[in-house]
Short mmCIF file of all heavy atoms in Angstrom, two decimals:
data_model
loop_
_atom_site.label_atom_id
_atom_site.label_comp_id
_atom_site.label_asym_id
_atom_site.label_seq_id
_atom_site.Cartn_x
_atom_site.Cartn_y
_atom_site.Cartn_z
N MET U 1 -13.77 -4.89 16.50
CA MET U 1 -12.88 -4.86 17.64
C MET U 1 -11.68 -5.75 17.42
O MET U 1 -10.62 -5.44 17.88
CB MET U 1 -13.62 -5.28 18.90
CG MET U 1 -14.44 -4.14 19.47
SD MET U 1 -15.42 -4.40 20.94
CE MET U 1 -14.65 -5.68 21.82
N ASN U 2 -11.85 -6.85 16.72
CA ASN U 2 -10.76 -7.79 16.50
C ASN U 2 -10.18 -7.56 15.12
O ASN U 2 -10.79 -7.88 14.13
CB ASN U 2 -11.30 -9.22 16.66
CG ASN U 2 -10.22 -10.25 16.50
OD1 ASN U 2 -9.10 -9.94 16.17
ND2 ASN U 2 -10.57 -11.49 16.75
N ASP U 3 -8.95 -7.04 15.05
CA ASP U 3 -8.33 -6.74 13.77
C ASP U 3 -7.88 -7.98 13.03
O ASP U 3 -7.48 -7.88 11.87
CB ASP U 3 -7.15 -5.80 13.97
CG ASP U 3 -7.59 -4.39 14.31
OD1 ASP U 3 -8.73 -4.04 14.00
OD2 ASP U 3 -6.78 -3.68 14.89
N ASN U 4 -7.91 -9.15 13.66
CA ASN U 4 -7.45 -10.37 13.02
C ASN U 4 -8.58 -11.14 12.35
O ASN U 4 -8.41 -12.28 11.98
CB ASN U 4 -6.76 -11.27 14.05
CG ASN U 4 -5.50 -10.63 14.58
OD1 ASN U 4 -4.81 -9.94 13.86
ND2 ASN U 4 -5.22 -10.83 15.85
N ARG U 5 -9.72 -10.53 12.18
CA ARG U 5 -10.85 -11.19 11.55
C ARG U 5 -10.60 -11.42 10.06
O ARG U 5 -9.95 -10.61 9.40
CB ARG U 5 -12.12 -10.34 11.67
CG ARG U 5 -12.65 -10.28 13.05
CD ARG U 5 -13.94 -9.50 13.05
NE ARG U 5 -14.47 -9.50 14.40
CZ ARG U 5 -15.48 -8.79 14.78
NH1 ARG U 5 -16.09 -8.00 13.94
NH2 ARG U 5 -15.91 -8.83 16.02
N ASP U 6 -11.16 -12.49 9.57
CA ASP U 6 -11.15 -12.75 8.13
C ASP U 6 -12.30 -11.95 7.53
O ASP U 6 -13.46 -12.27 7.73
CB ASP U 6 -11.33 -14.24 7.87
CG ASP U 6 -11.27 -14.58 6.39
OD1 ASP U 6 -11.14 -13.66 5.56
OD2 ASP U 6 -11.34 -15.77 6.07
N ARG U 7 -12.01 -10.88 6.84
CA ARG U 7 -13.02 -9.95 6.34
C ARG U 7 -13.61 -10.37 4.99
O ARG U 7 -14.48 -9.70 4.47
CB ARG U 7 -12.42 -8.55 6.20
CG ARG U 7 -11.92 -7.95 7.48
CD ARG U 7 -13.04 -7.63 8.40
NE ARG U 7 -12.55 -6.80 9.51
CZ ARG U 7 -13.31 -6.29 10.42
NH1 ARG U 7 -14.60 -6.48 10.39
NH2 ARG U 7 -12.82 -5.57 11.39
N ARG U 8 -13.14 -11.47 4.42
CA ARG U 8 -13.60 -11.86 3.08
C ARG U 8 -15.10 -12.13 3.02
O ARG U 8 -15.71 -11.92 1.98
CB ARG U 8 -12.83 -13.08 2.58
CG ARG U 8 -11.37 -12.74 2.28
CD ARG U 8 -10.63 -13.94 1.83
NE ARG U 8 -10.43 -14.82 2.98
CZ ARG U 8 -9.72 -15.91 2.96
NH1 ARG U 8 -9.15 -16.32 1.85
NH2 ARG U 8 -9.57 -16.63 4.04
N GLN U 9 -15.70 -12.58 4.09
CA GLN U 9 -17.13 -12.88 4.12
C GLN U 9 -17.94 -11.79 4.82
O GLN U 9 -19.15 -11.93 4.97
CB GLN U 9 -17.37 -14.23 4.81
CG GLN U 9 -16.71 -15.39 4.12
CD GLN U 9 -17.24 -15.61 2.71
OE1 GLN U 9 -18.44 -15.58 2.48
NE2 GLN U 9 -16.33 -15.79 1.76
N ASP U 10 -17.28 -10.74 5.27
CA ASP U 10 -17.94 -9.66 6.01
C ASP U 10 -18.55 -8.66 5.03
O ASP U 10 -17.90 -8.25 4.06
CB ASP U 10 -16.91 -8.95 6.89
CG ASP U 10 -17.50 -8.35 8.14
OD1 ASP U 10 -18.73 -8.23 8.23
OD2 ASP U 10 -16.72 -7.98 9.04
N SER U 11 -19.78 -8.25 5.28
CA SER U 11 -20.44 -7.25 4.44
C SER U 11 -20.04 -5.85 4.89
O SER U 11 -19.68 -5.63 6.04
CB SER U 11 -21.95 -7.38 4.56
OG SER U 11 -22.38 -8.61 4.07
N LEU U 12 -20.12 -4.92 3.96
CA LEU U 12 -19.88 -3.52 4.26
C LEU U 12 -21.23 -2.80 4.32
O LEU U 12 -22.08 -3.01 3.46
CB LEU U 12 -19.00 -2.88 3.19
CG LEU U 12 -17.56 -3.35 3.17
CD1 LEU U 12 -16.85 -2.87 1.92
CD2 LEU U 12 -16.82 -2.86 4.41
N LEU U 13 -21.41 -2.00 5.36
CA LEU U 13 -22.65 -1.25 5.54
C LEU U 13 -22.38 0.22 5.32
O LEU U 13 -21.43 0.79 5.86
CB LEU U 13 -23.20 -1.45 6.96
CG LEU U 13 -23.48 -2.88 7.39
CD1 LEU U 13 -23.97 -2.89 8.83
CD2 LEU U 13 -24.50 -3.53 6.48
N ARG U 14 -23.24 0.86 4.54
CA ARG U 14 -23.16 2.30 4.31
C ARG U 14 -23.88 3.01 5.46
O ARG U 14 -24.55 2.40 6.29
CB ARG U 14 -23.78 2.65 2.96
CG ARG U 14 -23.11 1.98 1.75
CD ARG U 14 -21.69 2.48 1.50
NE ARG U 14 -21.63 3.89 1.31
CZ ARG U 14 -21.75 4.52 0.16
NH1 ARG U 14 -21.91 3.85 -0.95
NH2 ARG U 14 -21.69 5.83 0.10
N MET U 15 -23.78 4.32 5.51
CA MET U 15 -24.30 5.12 6.62
C MET U 15 -25.78 4.85 6.90
O MET U 15 -26.17 4.72 8.06
CB MET U 15 -24.07 6.60 6.36
CG MET U 15 -24.65 7.51 7.44
SD MET U 15 -23.96 7.25 9.09
CE MET U 15 -22.49 8.24 8.97
N ALA U 16 -26.60 4.75 5.89
CA ALA U 16 -28.04 4.55 6.11
C ALA U 16 -28.30 3.26 6.89
O ALA U 16 -29.11 3.25 7.82
CB ALA U 16 -28.79 4.53 4.78
N LYS U 17 -27.61 2.19 6.54
CA LYS U 17 -27.79 0.92 7.25
C LYS U 17 -27.22 0.99 8.66
O LYS U 17 -27.79 0.43 9.60
CB LYS U 17 -27.14 -0.23 6.48
CG LYS U 17 -27.97 -0.77 5.40
CD LYS U 17 -29.12 -1.55 5.98
CE LYS U 17 -29.89 -2.23 4.88
NZ LYS U 17 -31.23 -2.60 5.23
N VAL U 18 -26.09 1.66 8.81
CA VAL U 18 -25.49 1.80 10.15
C VAL U 18 -26.43 2.58 11.05
O VAL U 18 -26.66 2.20 12.21
CB VAL U 18 -24.10 2.47 10.06
CG1 VAL U 18 -23.56 2.80 11.44
CG2 VAL U 18 -23.13 1.57 9.31
N ARG U 19 -27.02 3.64 10.53
CA ARG U 19 -28.00 4.42 11.30
C ARG U 19 -29.20 3.56 11.68
O ARG U 19 -29.68 3.61 12.81
CB ARG U 19 -28.45 5.63 10.50
CG ARG U 19 -27.39 6.70 10.37
CD ARG U 19 -27.86 7.89 9.60
NE ARG U 19 -28.99 8.50 10.32
CZ ARG U 19 -29.87 9.30 9.77
NH1 ARG U 19 -29.80 9.59 8.49
NH2 ARG U 19 -30.83 9.83 10.48
N GLU U 20 -29.67 2.78 10.73
CA GLU U 20 -30.82 1.90 10.98
C GLU U 20 -30.50 0.87 12.06
O GLU U 20 -31.30 0.62 12.95
CB GLU U 20 -31.18 1.20 9.66
CG GLU U 20 -32.37 0.30 9.72
CD GLU U 20 -32.63 -0.35 8.37
OE1 GLU U 20 -32.75 0.39 7.37
OE2 GLU U 20 -32.67 -1.59 8.32
N ARG U 21 -29.31 0.28 11.99
CA ARG U 21 -28.93 -0.77 12.95
C ARG U 21 -28.65 -0.22 14.33
O ARG U 21 -28.91 -0.88 15.34
CB ARG U 21 -27.68 -1.51 12.46
CG ARG U 21 -27.83 -2.33 11.21
CD ARG U 21 -28.28 -3.76 11.44
NE ARG U 21 -27.56 -4.49 12.44
CZ ARG U 21 -26.49 -5.25 12.21
NH1 ARG U 21 -25.99 -5.35 11.00
NH2 ARG U 21 -25.92 -5.90 13.19
N THR U 22 -28.09 1.01 14.41
CA THR U 22 -27.67 1.55 15.71
C THR U 22 -28.65 2.54 16.31
O THR U 22 -28.65 2.75 17.52
CB THR U 22 -26.30 2.26 15.59
OG1 THR U 22 -26.45 3.40 14.72
CG2 THR U 22 -25.23 1.33 15.07
N GLY U 23 -29.44 3.20 15.47
CA GLY U 23 -30.33 4.24 15.95
C GLY U 23 -29.62 5.55 16.25
O GLY U 23 -30.19 6.45 16.86
N LEU U 24 -28.37 5.67 15.80
CA LEU U 24 -27.57 6.88 16.07
C LEU U 24 -27.58 7.81 14.86
O LEU U 24 -27.68 7.37 13.72
CB LEU U 24 -26.12 6.50 16.38
CG LEU U 24 -25.91 5.60 17.59
CD1 LEU U 24 -24.44 5.21 17.69
CD2 LEU U 24 -26.38 6.27 18.86
N SER U 25 -27.43 9.11 15.12
CA SER U 25 -27.34 10.09 14.05
C SER U 25 -25.92 10.06 13.47
O SER U 25 -24.98 9.59 14.14
CB SER U 25 -27.62 11.49 14.59
OG SER U 25 -26.56 11.91 15.42
N PRO U 26 -25.73 10.57 12.26
CA PRO U 26 -24.38 10.63 11.70
C PRO U 26 -23.40 11.40 12.60
O PRO U 26 -22.26 10.97 12.79
CB PRO U 26 -24.56 11.35 10.37
CG PRO U 26 -25.96 11.02 9.97
CD PRO U 26 -26.73 11.00 11.27
N ALA U 27 -23.84 12.52 13.17
CA ALA U 27 -22.96 13.29 14.05
C ALA U 27 -22.51 12.47 15.25
O ALA U 27 -21.34 12.50 15.64
CB ALA U 27 -23.66 14.57 14.52
N THR U 28 -23.42 11.71 15.83
CA THR U 28 -23.07 10.87 16.99
C THR U 28 -22.14 9.75 16.57
O THR U 28 -21.18 9.44 17.29
CB THR U 28 -24.34 10.30 17.64
OG1 THR U 28 -25.15 11.39 18.08
CG2 THR U 28 -24.00 9.40 18.82
N ILE U 29 -22.37 9.17 15.41
CA ILE U 29 -21.49 8.10 14.91
C ILE U 29 -20.08 8.64 14.75
O ILE U 29 -19.11 8.04 15.24
CB ILE U 29 -22.04 7.53 13.59
CG1 ILE U 29 -23.31 6.72 13.87
CG2 ILE U 29 -20.99 6.68 12.88
CD1 ILE U 29 -24.09 6.32 12.63
N TYR U 30 -19.93 9.77 14.09
CA TYR U 30 -18.59 10.34 13.87
C TYR U 30 -17.94 10.78 15.17
O TYR U 30 -16.73 10.60 15.35
CB TYR U 30 -18.66 11.51 12.88
CG TYR U 30 -19.01 11.07 11.48
CD1 TYR U 30 -20.01 11.73 10.75
CD2 TYR U 30 -18.36 10.00 10.86
CE1 TYR U 30 -20.34 11.33 9.46
CE2 TYR U 30 -18.69 9.60 9.58
CZ TYR U 30 -19.68 10.27 8.88
OH TYR U 30 -19.99 9.86 7.61
N ARG U 31 -18.71 11.34 16.08
CA ARG U 31 -18.17 11.76 17.38
C ARG U 31 -17.68 10.55 18.18
O ARG U 31 -16.58 10.55 18.74
CB ARG U 31 -19.23 12.54 18.15
CG ARG U 31 -18.73 13.16 19.43
CD ARG U 31 -19.72 14.10 20.10
NE ARG U 31 -21.10 13.64 20.09
CZ ARG U 31 -22.09 14.14 19.33
NH1 ARG U 31 -21.85 15.14 18.50
NH2 ARG U 31 -23.32 13.68 19.41
N ARG U 32 -18.50 9.49 18.21
CA ARG U 32 -18.09 8.29 18.95
C ARG U 32 -16.91 7.60 18.28
O ARG U 32 -16.04 7.06 18.96
CB ARG U 32 -19.28 7.33 19.09
CG ARG U 32 -20.33 7.88 20.07
CD ARG U 32 -21.32 6.85 20.43
NE ARG U 32 -20.65 5.85 21.26
CZ ARG U 32 -21.26 5.05 22.10
NH1 ARG U 32 -22.56 5.12 22.25
NH2 ARG U 32 -20.59 4.17 22.79
N GLU U 33 -16.88 7.63 16.96
CA GLU U 33 -15.75 7.03 16.24
C GLU U 33 -14.46 7.76 16.62
O GLU U 33 -13.44 7.12 16.90
CB GLU U 33 -15.99 7.11 14.73
CG GLU U 33 -14.88 6.49 13.91
CD GLU U 33 -15.08 6.66 12.44
OE1 GLU U 33 -15.80 7.59 12.00
OE2 GLU U 33 -14.49 5.87 11.69
N ALA U 34 -14.49 9.08 16.66
CA ALA U 34 -13.32 9.87 17.03
C ALA U 34 -12.88 9.59 18.48
O ALA U 34 -11.69 9.62 18.79
CB ALA U 34 -13.60 11.35 16.85
N ALA U 35 -13.85 9.28 19.34
CA ALA U 35 -13.55 9.00 20.74
C ALA U 35 -13.12 7.55 20.96
O ALA U 35 -12.72 7.18 22.06
CB ALA U 35 -14.78 9.30 21.60
N GLY U 36 -13.21 6.71 19.91
CA GLY U 36 -12.82 5.30 20.04
C GLY U 36 -13.91 4.43 20.61
O GLY U 36 -13.64 3.31 21.04
N THR U 37 -15.15 4.92 20.63
CA THR U 37 -16.26 4.14 21.19
C THR U 37 -17.26 3.72 20.11
O THR U 37 -18.41 3.42 20.41
CB THR U 37 -16.98 4.93 22.30
OG1 THR U 37 -17.49 6.15 21.75
CG2 THR U 37 -16.04 5.22 23.46
N PHE U 38 -16.80 3.70 18.87
CA PHE U 38 -17.61 3.23 17.74
C PHE U 38 -16.64 2.66 16.72
O PHE U 38 -15.50 3.14 16.61
CB PHE U 38 -18.41 4.39 17.13
CG PHE U 38 -19.49 3.94 16.20
CD1 PHE U 38 -20.72 3.52 16.69
CD2 PHE U 38 -19.29 3.91 14.82
CE1 PHE U 38 -21.72 3.09 15.84
CE2 PHE U 38 -20.28 3.48 13.97
CZ PHE U 38 -21.50 3.06 14.48
N PRO U 39 -17.04 1.65 15.96
CA PRO U 39 -16.14 1.06 14.96
C PRO U 39 -15.64 2.09 13.95
O PRO U 39 -16.34 3.03 13.60
CB PRO U 39 -17.01 0.01 14.27
CG PRO U 39 -18.08 -0.32 15.25
CD PRO U 39 -18.33 0.94 16.02
N LYS U 40 -14.43 1.87 13.49
CA LYS U 40 -13.84 2.76 12.49
C LYS U 40 -14.40 2.45 11.11
O LYS U 40 -14.62 1.31 10.76
CB LYS U 40 -12.33 2.61 12.48
CG LYS U 40 -11.68 3.09 13.77
CD LYS U 40 -10.18 3.15 13.63
CE LYS U 40 -9.53 3.59 14.90
NZ LYS U 40 -9.81 4.93 15.28
N ARG U 41 -14.62 3.50 10.34
CA ARG U 41 -15.09 3.34 8.97
C ARG U 41 -13.91 2.96 8.08
O ARG U 41 -12.75 3.17 8.43
CB ARG U 41 -15.74 4.62 8.49
CG ARG U 41 -14.81 5.79 8.50
CD ARG U 41 -15.53 7.09 8.37
NE ARG U 41 -14.81 8.05 9.21
CZ ARG U 41 -14.98 9.31 9.17
NH1 ARG U 41 -15.86 9.83 8.36
NH2 ARG U 41 -14.31 10.11 9.95
N VAL U 42 -14.22 2.42 6.92
CA VAL U 42 -13.20 2.08 5.94
C VAL U 42 -13.55 2.78 4.63
O VAL U 42 -14.71 2.83 4.24
CB VAL U 42 -13.06 0.56 5.74
CG1 VAL U 42 -12.54 -0.12 6.98
CG2 VAL U 42 -14.36 -0.06 5.30
N PRO U 43 -12.56 3.34 3.96
CA PRO U 43 -12.84 3.98 2.67
C PRO U 43 -13.15 2.92 1.62
O PRO U 43 -12.47 1.89 1.55
CB PRO U 43 -11.55 4.73 2.35
CG PRO U 43 -10.49 4.08 3.16
CD PRO U 43 -11.16 3.47 4.35
N ILE U 44 -14.17 3.16 0.81
CA ILE U 44 -14.51 2.24 -0.26
C ILE U 44 -14.51 2.95 -1.62
O ILE U 44 -14.79 2.33 -2.64
CB ILE U 44 -15.87 1.53 -0.02
CG1 ILE U 44 -17.00 2.55 0.09
CG2 ILE U 44 -15.79 0.66 1.22
CD1 ILE U 44 -18.38 1.92 0.14
N GLY U 45 -14.18 4.20 -1.62
CA GLY U 45 -14.10 5.00 -2.84
C GLY U 45 -13.53 6.36 -2.50
O GLY U 45 -13.16 6.62 -1.36
N VAL U 46 -13.47 7.21 -3.49
CA VAL U 46 -12.90 8.54 -3.28
C VAL U 46 -13.68 9.32 -2.23
O VAL U 46 -13.10 9.96 -1.36
CB VAL U 46 -12.86 9.33 -4.62
CG1 VAL U 46 -12.34 10.74 -4.39
CG2 VAL U 46 -12.00 8.61 -5.63
N ARG U 47 -15.00 9.26 -2.27
CA ARG U 47 -15.83 9.98 -1.29
C ARG U 47 -16.84 9.07 -0.62
O ARG U 47 -17.92 9.51 -0.25
CB ARG U 47 -16.55 11.12 -2.00
CG ARG U 47 -15.61 12.19 -2.50
CD ARG U 47 -16.33 13.30 -3.17
NE ARG U 47 -17.52 13.71 -2.41
CZ ARG U 47 -18.29 14.71 -2.73
NH1 ARG U 47 -18.03 15.42 -3.80
NH2 ARG U 47 -19.34 15.02 -2.01
N SER U 48 -16.48 7.81 -0.47
CA SER U 48 -17.41 6.83 0.11
C SER U 48 -16.74 6.07 1.24
O SER U 48 -15.58 5.70 1.14
CB SER U 48 -17.86 5.83 -0.95
OG SER U 48 -18.51 6.47 -2.00
N VAL U 49 -17.50 5.86 2.30
CA VAL U 49 -17.02 5.05 3.43
C VAL U 49 -18.09 4.03 3.80
O VAL U 49 -19.25 4.17 3.43
CB VAL U 49 -16.67 5.91 4.66
CG1 VAL U 49 -15.54 6.88 4.35
CG2 VAL U 49 -17.89 6.64 5.18
N ALA U 50 -17.67 3.03 4.53
CA ALA U 50 -18.59 2.00 5.02
C ALA U 50 -18.00 1.43 6.31
O ALA U 50 -16.87 1.75 6.69
CB ALA U 50 -18.78 0.91 3.98
N TRP U 51 -18.78 0.62 6.98
CA TRP U 51 -18.36 -0.06 8.20
C TRP U 51 -18.56 -1.55 8.01
O TRP U 51 -19.50 -1.99 7.35
CB TRP U 51 -19.19 0.41 9.40
CG TRP U 51 -18.89 1.79 9.84
CD1 TRP U 51 -18.08 2.16 10.88
CD2 TRP U 51 -19.38 3.02 9.27
NE1 TRP U 51 -18.04 3.53 10.98
CE2 TRP U 51 -18.83 4.08 10.01
CE3 TRP U 51 -20.24 3.32 8.22
CZ2 TRP U 51 -19.11 5.41 9.74
CZ3 TRP U 51 -20.50 4.65 7.93
CH2 TRP U 51 -19.95 5.67 8.68
N TYR U 52 -17.67 -2.36 8.60
CA TYR U 52 -17.83 -3.80 8.54
C TYR U 52 -19.03 -4.20 9.40
O TYR U 52 -19.18 -3.74 10.53
CB TYR U 52 -16.58 -4.52 9.04
CG TYR U 52 -15.45 -4.48 8.05
CD1 TYR U 52 -14.31 -3.74 8.29
CD2 TYR U 52 -15.52 -5.20 6.86
CE1 TYR U 52 -13.26 -3.70 7.39
CE2 TYR U 52 -14.48 -5.17 5.94
CZ TYR U 52 -13.36 -4.43 6.21
OH TYR U 52 -12.33 -4.40 5.31
N GLU U 53 -19.87 -5.05 8.84
CA GLU U 53 -21.09 -5.47 9.53
C GLU U 53 -20.78 -6.15 10.86
O GLU U 53 -21.47 -5.92 11.85
CB GLU U 53 -21.90 -6.41 8.64
CG GLU U 53 -23.22 -6.79 9.25
CD GLU U 53 -24.11 -7.57 8.31
OE1 GLU U 53 -23.61 -8.11 7.31
OE2 GLU U 53 -25.32 -7.63 8.60
N SER U 54 -19.73 -6.95 10.92
CA SER U 54 -19.40 -7.63 12.18
C SER U 54 -19.01 -6.62 13.27
O SER U 54 -19.34 -6.82 14.44
CB SER U 54 -18.28 -8.64 11.96
OG SER U 54 -17.11 -8.01 11.51
N ASP U 55 -18.34 -5.53 12.89
CA ASP U 55 -17.99 -4.50 13.87
C ASP U 55 -19.25 -3.79 14.38
O ASP U 55 -19.36 -3.51 15.59
CB ASP U 55 -17.05 -3.47 13.27
CG ASP U 55 -15.66 -4.01 12.99
OD1 ASP U 55 -15.32 -5.09 13.52
OD2 ASP U 55 -14.92 -3.36 12.23
N ILE U 56 -20.19 -3.53 13.49
CA ILE U 56 -21.44 -2.89 13.91
C ILE U 56 -22.23 -3.84 14.80
O ILE U 56 -22.80 -3.41 15.81
CB ILE U 56 -22.27 -2.45 12.68
CG1 ILE U 56 -21.50 -1.40 11.86
CG2 ILE U 56 -23.63 -1.92 13.10
CD1 ILE U 56 -21.08 -0.15 12.64
N SER U 57 -22.22 -5.12 14.49
CA SER U 57 -22.91 -6.11 15.34
C SER U 57 -22.30 -6.14 16.74
O SER U 57 -23.02 -6.24 17.73
CB SER U 57 -22.85 -7.49 14.70
OG SER U 57 -23.60 -7.51 13.51
N ASP U 58 -20.96 -6.07 16.82
CA ASP U 58 -20.30 -6.02 18.13
C ASP U 58 -20.73 -4.78 18.90
O ASP U 58 -21.00 -4.85 20.11
CB ASP U 58 -18.77 -6.00 17.97
CG ASP U 58 -18.20 -7.32 17.50
OD1 ASP U 58 -18.92 -8.34 17.55
OD2 ASP U 58 -17.03 -7.32 17.07
N PHE U 59 -20.81 -3.66 18.22
CA PHE U 59 -21.24 -2.42 18.87
C PHE U 59 -22.68 -2.54 19.37
O PHE U 59 -22.98 -2.19 20.51
CB PHE U 59 -21.11 -1.24 17.91
CG PHE U 59 -21.69 0.02 18.47
CD1 PHE U 59 -20.97 0.79 19.36
CD2 PHE U 59 -22.98 0.42 18.15
CE1 PHE U 59 -21.52 1.95 19.90
CE2 PHE U 59 -23.54 1.57 18.68
CZ PHE U 59 -22.80 2.33 19.56
N VAL U 60 -23.58 -3.04 18.53
CA VAL U 60 -24.99 -3.15 18.90
C VAL U 60 -25.16 -4.10 20.09
O VAL U 60 -26.00 -3.87 20.96
CB VAL U 60 -25.83 -3.61 17.69
CG1 VAL U 60 -27.24 -3.98 18.10
CG2 VAL U 60 -25.85 -2.51 16.63
N ALA U 61 -24.34 -5.12 20.18
CA ALA U 61 -24.45 -6.09 21.27
C ALA U 61 -24.10 -5.46 22.62
O ALA U 61 -24.66 -5.85 23.64
CB ALA U 61 -23.53 -7.29 21.01
N ALA U 62 -23.20 -4.48 22.64
CA ALA U 62 -22.78 -3.85 23.91
C ALA U 62 -22.31 -2.44 23.64
O ALA U 62 -21.11 -2.14 23.74
CB ALA U 62 -21.69 -4.68 24.56
N PRO U 63 -23.22 -1.51 23.31
CA PRO U 63 -22.81 -0.15 22.94
C PRO U 63 -22.07 0.62 24.03
O PRO U 63 -21.19 1.42 23.72
CB PRO U 63 -24.11 0.54 22.55
CG PRO U 63 -25.20 -0.29 23.09
CD PRO U 63 -24.66 -1.67 23.23
N MET U 64 -22.40 0.41 25.27
CA MET U 64 -21.74 1.16 26.33
C MET U 64 -20.36 0.59 26.66
O MET U 64 -19.54 1.30 27.26
CB MET U 64 -22.61 1.16 27.60
CG MET U 64 -23.93 1.89 27.40
SD MET U 64 -23.78 3.57 26.77
CE MET U 64 -22.99 4.37 28.15
N ASP U 65 -20.10 -0.65 26.27
CA ASP U 65 -18.82 -1.29 26.57
C ASP U 65 -17.88 -1.31 25.38
O ASP U 65 -16.75 -1.79 25.49
CB ASP U 65 -19.06 -2.73 27.04
CG ASP U 65 -19.85 -2.79 28.33
OD1 ASP U 65 -19.71 -1.87 29.15
OD2 ASP U 65 -20.63 -3.75 28.49
N TYR U 66 -18.34 -0.82 24.23
CA TYR U 66 -17.54 -0.93 23.01
C TYR U 66 -16.31 -0.02 23.07
O TYR U 66 -16.42 1.15 23.38
CB TYR U 66 -18.36 -0.58 21.76
CG TYR U 66 -17.58 -0.83 20.48
CD1 TYR U 66 -17.61 -2.07 19.88
CD2 TYR U 66 -16.78 0.15 19.94
CE1 TYR U 66 -16.88 -2.33 18.74
CE2 TYR U 66 -16.03 -0.09 18.81
CZ TYR U 66 -16.08 -1.33 18.21
OH TYR U 66 -15.34 -1.58 17.08
N LYS U 67 -15.18 -0.56 22.75
CA LYS U 67 -13.93 0.19 22.60
C LYS U 67 -13.28 -0.28 21.31
O LYS U 67 -13.08 -1.47 21.10
CB LYS U 67 -12.96 -0.07 23.76
CG LYS U 67 -13.47 0.38 25.10
CD LYS U 67 -13.46 1.89 25.21
CE LYS U 67 -13.88 2.29 26.59
NZ LYS U 67 -14.54 3.55 26.65
N ALA U 68 -12.99 0.64 20.41
CA ALA U 68 -12.36 0.30 19.14
C ALA U 68 -10.96 -0.27 19.40
O ALA U 68 -10.26 0.18 20.31
CB ALA U 68 -12.27 1.52 18.24
N ALA U 69 -10.59 -1.22 18.58
CA ALA U 69 -9.28 -1.86 18.73
C ALA U 69 -8.18 -0.97 18.22
O ALA U 69 -8.35 -0.11 17.44
CB ALA U 69 -9.25 -3.18 17.97
#
C-alpha cells in the first residue's frame, strides 16, 4: 500500500506462497488485483511475477479494507 517503502529487505512471494498466505485462488487474486483490492504483482522475469511480502501481509491483516496504492 505504501509506495515509499524500502524494498531492499522485502521478500518476493510467488503465486504458491501468496495462495497459501491468503487462501485465495489465482483467479480471485487476479480479479481483486484488477479491481485495486489486492496488491499489485511485480515482474521478476519474462514470464514470472511475484508480490512483495509486506504488501501481502498488509492485505492479510485487513483483506476487506485493502485498497492498492
Side-chain angles (χ1 to χ4, degrees):
M1 280 179 27
N2 182 354
D3 287 338
N4 295 325
R5 289 184 178 172
D6 182 357
R7 299 291 192 175
R8 291 178 288 186
Q9 299 297 315
D10 209 346
S11 296
L12 290 169
L13 302 178
R14 300 293 303 270
M15 177 61 83
K17 278 288 186 201
V18 172
R19 289 181 62 200
E20 182 180 306
R21 294 272 311 269
T22 64
L24 300 175
S25 70
T28 300
I29 289 169
Y30 292 132
R31 187 171 42 252
R32 289 192 69 157
E33 182 184 23
T37 59
F38 194 82
K40 294 190 181 294
R41 60 194 144 167
V42 294
I44 60 172
V46 177
R47 293 181 44 176
S48 300
V49 297
W51 288 261
Y52 285 111
E53 184 172 18
S54 61
D55 291 344
I56 298 303
S57 294
D58 289 346
F59 173 81
V60 169
M64 296 307 292
D65 297 328
Y66 186 87
K67 297 287 184 210

